[in-house]
Amino acid sequence: MKDYFCDMKKHQITIVDIAQKLGISKSTVSRALTGHPSVHQQTRERVLKLAEEMDYERNMLSIGLIKNSSLTIGIIVPEFTRSFFPKVIIGAQEKAKAAGYNLIICHSEESYETEVANTKVMLLHQVDGLLISITKETTNFEHLKVFQRKGIPIVFFNRVCEEMVVPKVIVDDEEGAFSAVQHLIKRGKKRVAFLNGPANLHVCKKRGEGYKNALQRNKLQWDEQLLRHYDLDLNTVEEHVNFFLGLQDKPDAIFAINDPTAIEVMRVLKKKQIRIPEDIAVVGFSNDMVSSLIEPGLTTVEQPVAEIGRVAAQLLLDQIKRNIEDWKAQTVILKTKLIQRDSS
Amino acid sequence: MKDYFCDMKKHQITIVDIAQKLGISKSTVSRALTGHPSVHQQTRERVLKLAEEMDYERNMLSIGLIKNSSLTIGIIVPEFTRSFFPKVIIGAQEKAKAAGYNLIICHSEESYETEVANTKVMLLHQVDGLLISITKETTNFEHLKVFQRKGIPIVFFNRVCEEMVVPKVIVDDEEGAFSAVQHLIKRGKKRVAFLNGPANLHVCKKRGEGYKNALQRNKLQWDEQLLRHYDLDLNTVEEHVNFFLGLQDKPDAIFAINDPTAIEVMRVLKKKQIRIPEDIAVVGFSNDMVSSLIEPGLTTVEQPVAEIGRVAAQLLLDQIKRNIEDWKAQTVILKTKLIQRDSS
DNA sequence: CTGTTAGCGCATTCAT
DNA sequence: ATGAATGCGCTAACAG
């Protein structure tokens, strides 16, 4: 009896089982199941009925094997406890689903090593395309170039790889940062500090440029002490704020690379009884869900988050449909929008 | 399932390619790749080297087909723009990775239909087990029972299915709700309202029981107008709050099913110049990241979020290792902890 | 309309 | 230590 059960566990109901019971060939069963037109109506009904009765489920693995496709696209994000990446994923999923594709998500936890492991998972699962935003540590791109060589399209979003010629979706980071700093200056601030992210990330470089441009445009002195790069570990934000506060000539505004950072900056300032925005104004980037809930409300640069996901997925689906020699490598740059609240 | 597969086959590097280049049989290549002992050391090295050079990746679809396993476990969550589910996922990923399993994540976006589609993806990828927290719409469980029939273990967490006898990981929702309401009453509140979630969710039922128990224990009158179920759509929270405020005998405290709801309640109250907690105190559930950042800080019932993921993954891995006839269906109940802040 | 045959990429038995 | 052959479950020519 026990052996019987063990065997049962292994044995899947297949089209052959159905075919045998019905005394027809498995091809006919297959055709009936897939809705092929040239099957006798009566045969089809008998197959469908028996399949239902026997709890038959198609084995998509074998189908994927044949078609060399899994109808799945993968997405790798470095982080998702904040609302940014989840919202991108939701946008991407929307487009993918509409095209009949499923989405599998991997989380690289800002670790290069995990990212490489994730790409292996994607390869193993035969994804038809990959969406990715790289980790803060990623400077080697071999694991991603593999996809190109294999003819599996990649689309970058948010954190892109500069050296790879593939579609990318970003926002106008330079313009976004520019408008944030411009706004602060218009509010009367003269010494705007920028707590930037890792210098190797393209997105951070661009925001750095926007920052500098805004200063120049307003003929404000460029002070390199006011631009600091940090590794996105929120625990270290306090040190950086302390550095700013320890300067001979303190900043009167802090622009932060993203909203979580800005919120942490605000927490540190509040703890020190520094008034926001009177003493020091704060501006973030992204318009996270939290930013409207805290006090004072955080002024921030809004990104069309779900749209980033939608566009990225659409570009990927376009690539998937194209032959490899017709691949296009456009970069889509979406607009940002300054959201003014009470922190500035 | 509709046939969406398109036909362009990108050529994959297979063991046959490697075998041909090396002038050996594909069996030997296979053995070298899988680490079979009886392969000449030199042969193995040549194979490994060439595989590396050619960017060869094993095709999981075919291996999965043969082995009926993919070393992958799936996780389906209904929502993840808040920090709750992402943190659970991170915990689960930790355990899975340690056991050599990969984790693929699907997002059901609180839609029954999407959840069903997600389970198909999991089946397609031949996951060895499934972790799931159901959507608020899910009342039919056929798509999940399929897994049991196929011998693929399932573990529920947070939002569990009552009628299925499988392992589950929840927190002590009844006790958590009890302690929240007990706390409010100790603070002098006499009319505690509860804005609960969908009545069909087990987790909501349990919290409802905790709420009622606390009232009873304190000999407070049970008023059915003070207990409302809502569909977790934050846009409708305002109506419910307005209902409470329109009562003859208004509540002096509102306990909300989760933190986002509580925060929305607070927003509505603040808009109406109602003082928190003096006029109406507010308590949430989960200790979301936001809750400590807003003002006043939200009193809430903390859940061991990552631990939920870890335990669920561990239970699943245990089931995977067991034969189907040895499956255990224990329910693990983790402890909650009341976090007192200024909203109560 | 339906049956036959041939793989998809790989692991695995059985040979040698 | 290696090669040949078999088959996982299914679809897709190619016959009838």
Side-chain angles (χ1 to χ4, degrees):
Chain A
M1 202 55 188
K2 194 172 181 226
D3 283 84
Y4 174 74
F5 265 101
C6 287
D7 285 342
M8 286 309 289
K9 179 188 176 181
K10 291 281 175 193
H11 186 252
Q12 269 192 300
I13 309 292
T14 75
I15 53 173
V16 177
D17 297 312
I18 297 179
Q20 282 177 345
K21 274 214 171 177
L22 254 32
I24 58 179
S25 80
K26 62 176 187 172
S27 308
T28 305
V29 175
S30 170
R31 282 189 278 252
L33 254 17
T34 52
H36 193 98
S38 63
V39 176
H40 194 84
Q41 186 55 29
Q42 204 174 352
T43 313
R44 162 167 294 128
E45 279 164 13
R46 290 174 63 211
V47 169
L48 259 31
K49 182 157 170 287
L50 186 58
E52 175 81 37
E53 281 173 20
M54 295 177 77
D55 277 338
Y56 170 78
E57 304 277 344
R58 284 170 82 194
N59 185 328
M60 302 303 279
L61 267 191
S62 62
I63 300 176
L65 224 205
I66 293 171
K67 310 272 188 175
N68 196 11
S69 153
S70 57
L71 272 190
T72 300
I73 65 185
I75 183 166
I76 300 178
V77 298
E79 196 277 328
F80 65 3
T81 66
R82 316 286 171 174
S83 63
F84 181 81
F85 286 109
K87 283 184 177 169
V88 174
I89 292 173
I90 289 169
Q93 177 157 285
E94 186 185 305
K95 277 287 180 197
K97 200 165 70 175
Y101 279 79
N102 292 116
L103 189 67
I104 66 179
I105 305 159
C106 279
H107 175 218
S108 59
E109 30 190 34
E110 291 284 18
S111 148
Y112 168 70
E113 203 180 322
T114 305
E115 181 178 284
V116 173
N118 288 342
T119 59
K120 297 261 189 228
V121 179
M122 297 299 183
L123 249 19
L124 290 179
H125 287 282
Q126 308 292 115
V127 293
D128 294 341
L130 180 67
L131 298 171
I132 183 168
S133 191
I134 60 176
T135 78
K136 65 184 182 190
E137 297 177 355
T138 307
T139 51
N140 179 324
F141 299 94
E142 270 314 306
H143 59 302
L144 298 175
K145 290 177 183 164
V146 168
F147 284 77
Q148 283 187 290
R149 283 189 229 116
K150 286 180 175 294
I152 302 170
I154 289 196
V155 172
F156 286 96
F157 62 94
N158 180 253
R159 307 234 198 119
V160 305
C161 166
E162 287 177 82
E163 67 188 76
M164 286 176 68
V165 184
V166 297
K168 300 168 192 178
V169 182
I170 52 178
V171 296
D172 196 336
D173 291 294
E174 190 174 336
E175 163 65 22
F178 181 91
S179 69
V181 177
Q182 179 79 11
H183 159 75
L184 284 167
I185 295 171
K186 281 218 172 119
R187 304 289 277 177
K189 301 299 182 180
K190 306 258 182 256
R191 300 255 312 149
V192 180
F194 182 20
L195 184 48
N196 200 347
N200 59 304
L201 291 180
H202 180 254
V203 51
C204 295
K205 285 182 205 163
K206 282 298 178 189
R207 292 185 194 171
E209 288 171 20
Y211 165 73
K212 288 180 193 171
N213 288 347
L215 294 186
Q216 270 184 359
R217 175 78 65 89
N218 290 278
K219 305 201 183 348
L220 283 180
Q221 198 187 340
W222 150 246
D223 181 348
E224 89 183 81
Q225 289 187 307
L226 290 183
L227 172 50
R228 292 179 74 78
H229 288 279
Y230 96 112
D231 64 357
L232 300 179
D233 175 358
L234 289 179
N235 295 317
T236 67
V237 167
E238 186 152 9
E239 297 168 25
H240 294 285
V241 173
N242 284 337
F243 173 86
F244 286 141
L245 296 178
L247 289 176
Q248 186 88 27
D249 198 0
K250 288 180 203 167
D252 51 13
I254 299 177
F255 173 41
I257 184 66
N258 59 25
D259 281 8
T261 305
I263 290 168
E264 178 63 9
V265 167
M266 280 172 57
R267 198 188 62 75
V268 173
L269 293 180
K270 280 196 237 175
K271 206 172 69 176
K272 294 181 184 295
Q273 314 277 347
I274 293 170
R275 291 172 307 165
I276 305 169
E278 295 81 358
D279 300 334
I280 297 185
V282 179
V283 174
F285 207 111
S286 281
N287 196 22
D288 275 14
M289 203 166 279
V290 208
S291 308
S292 63
L293 299 173
I294 56 167
E295 280 175 29
L298 178 65
T299 296
T300 184
V301 180
E302 185 179 56
Q303 306 191 51
V305 195
E307 183 66 10
I308 293 174
R310 271 184 236 113
V311 173
Q314 190 57 59
L315 288 180
L316 187 65
L317 291 166
D318 292 347
Q319 294 287 81
I320 290 173
K321 285 196 201 93
R322 268 194 275 272
N323 288 319
I324 186 163
E325 60 269 21
D326 296 327
W327 279 5
K328 310 256 183 295
Q330 58 190 311
T331 294
V332 175
I333 302 179
L334 300 174
K335 285 285 162 223
T336 61
K337 183 182 161 197
L338 187 72
I339 307 285
Q340 297 187 28
R341 298 204 182 91
D342 299 330
S343 70
S344 68
Chain B
M1 184 157 184
K2 231 159 112 190
D3 204 345
Y4 293 103
F5 289 100
C6 42
D7 275 334
M8 345 144 303
K9 312 198 177 185
K10 38 208 168 199
H11 177 67
Q12 254 195 297
I13 309 292
T14 74
I15 54 172
V16 176
D17 297 312
I18 297 180
Q20 283 177 344
K21 274 214 172 176
L22 253 32
I24 58 180
S25 80
K26 63 175 186 173
S27 310
T28 305
V29 174
S30 171
R31 282 190 276 255
L33 254 17
T34 51
H36 192 98
S38 65
V39 174
H40 195 84
Q41 185 56 29
Q42 203 175 350
T43 312
R44 161 167 293 127
E45 279 164 13
R46 288 173 63 211
V47 170
L48 259 32
K49 183 156 169 289
L50 185 58
E52 173 81 37
E53 281 173 21
M54 295 178 77
D55 287 330
Y56 169 79
E57 293 287 339
R58 295 161 74 196
N59 185 324
M60 276 311 283
L61 296 185
S62 66
I63 297 176
L65 225 207
I66 294 169
K67 302 240 181 183
N68 226 309
S69 154
S70 58
L71 278 187
T72 299
I73 66 185
I75 184 166
I76 300 178
V77 299
E79 196 278 329
F80 63 6
T81 66
R82 315 288 169 172
S83 62
F84 181 81
F85 286 109
K87 283 183 175 169
V88 175
I89 292 172
I90 289 169
Q93 178 157 282
E94 186 185 304
K95 277 288 180 195
K97 204 164 68 175
Y101 279 77
N102 293 119
L103 186 68
I104 65 180
I105 304 160
C106 279
H107 175 216
S108 58
E109 32 189 33
E110 292 283 17
S111 149
Y112 167 71
E113 201 181 324
T114 306
E115 182 178 285
V116 172
N118 287 342
T119 59
K120 298 251 192 242
V121 184
M122 297 304 180
L123 252 19
L124 156 70
H125 287 285
Q126 206 73 17
V127 292
D128 294 340
L130 179 66
L131 297 172
I132 183 168
S133 191
I134 61 176
T135 77
K136 65 183 182 191
E137 297 177 354
T138 307
T139 52
N140 179 323
F141 300 94
E142 270 313 307
H143 59 301
L144 298 175
K145 290 177 183 164
V146 168
F147 284 76
Q148 283 188 290
R149 282 190 231 116
K150 285 181 171 291
I152 302 170
I154 289 195
V155 172
F156 287 96
F157 62 94
N158 182 252
R159 307 234 198 117
V160 305
C161 165
E162 287 177 81
E163 68 187 75
M164 286 175 69
V165 184
V166 297
K168 300 167 190 176
V169 181
I170 52 179
V171 297
D172 195 335
D173 290 294
E174 189 176 336
E175 162 66 23
F178 180 90
S179 69
V181 177
Q182 178 81 9
H183 159 75
L184 284 167
I185 295 171
K186 280 218 173 120
R187 304 289 276 178
K189 301 300 183 181
K190 305 257 181 256
R191 299 257 310 152
V192 180
F194 181 21
L195 184 47
N196 201 348
N200 59 305
L201 291 180
H202 180 254
V203 52
C204 295
K205 286 182 205 162
K206 282 297 177 189
R207 291 184 194 171
E209 287 172 20
Y211 164 73
K212 288 180 192 171
N213 287 348
L215 294 186
Q216 269 183 359
R217 175 78 66 88
N218 291 277
K219 305 203 182 346
L220 284 180
Q221 199 188 338
W222 151 246
D223 180 349
E224 92 183 78
Q225 290 187 305
L226 290 183
L227 171 50
R228 291 179 74 78
H229 287 280
Y230 96 111
D231 66 356
L232 301 179
D233 175 358
L234 289 179
N235 296 317
T236 67
V237 167
E238 186 151 11
E239 297 168 26
H240 295 285
V241 173
N242 284 338
F243 173 86
F244 286 141
L245 297 179
L247 289 177
Q248 186 86 27
D249 197 4
K250 287 180 203 167
D252 51 14
I254 299 177
F255 173 41
I257 183 66
N258 58 26
D259 280 7
T261 305
I263 290 166
E264 177 63 9
V265 167
M266 281 172 57
R267 198 187 61 74
V268 174
L269 294 180
K270 282 197 235 174
K271 207 172 69 176
K272 294 182 184 293
Q273 314 277 349
I274 293 170
R275 291 171 307 164
I276 305 168
E278 295 82 357
D279 300 333
I280 296 185
V282 179
V283 174
F285 207 112
S286 281
N287 195 22
D288 274 15
M289 203 166 281
V290 208
S291 308
S292 62
L293 300 172
I294 56 169
E295 280 174 29
L298 178 65
T299 295
T300 184
V301 180
E302 185 179 57
Q303 306 190 52
V305 196
E307 184 66 9
I308 293 174
R310 271 184 237 115
V311 173
Q314 190 57 58
L315 288 180
L316 187 65
L317 292 166
D318 292 347
Q319 292 288 80
I320 291 172
K321 284 196 202 93
R322 268 194 274 270
N323 287 320
I324 187 166
E325 62 269 21
D326 296 328
W327 279 5
K328 309 255 184 295
Q330 59 191 309
T331 293
V332 175
I333 302 179
L334 300 174
K335 284 284 161 224
T336 61
K337 184 183 160 196
L338 187 73
I339 306 284
Q340 298 187 27
R341 298 205 181 90
D342 298 331
S343 70
S344 67

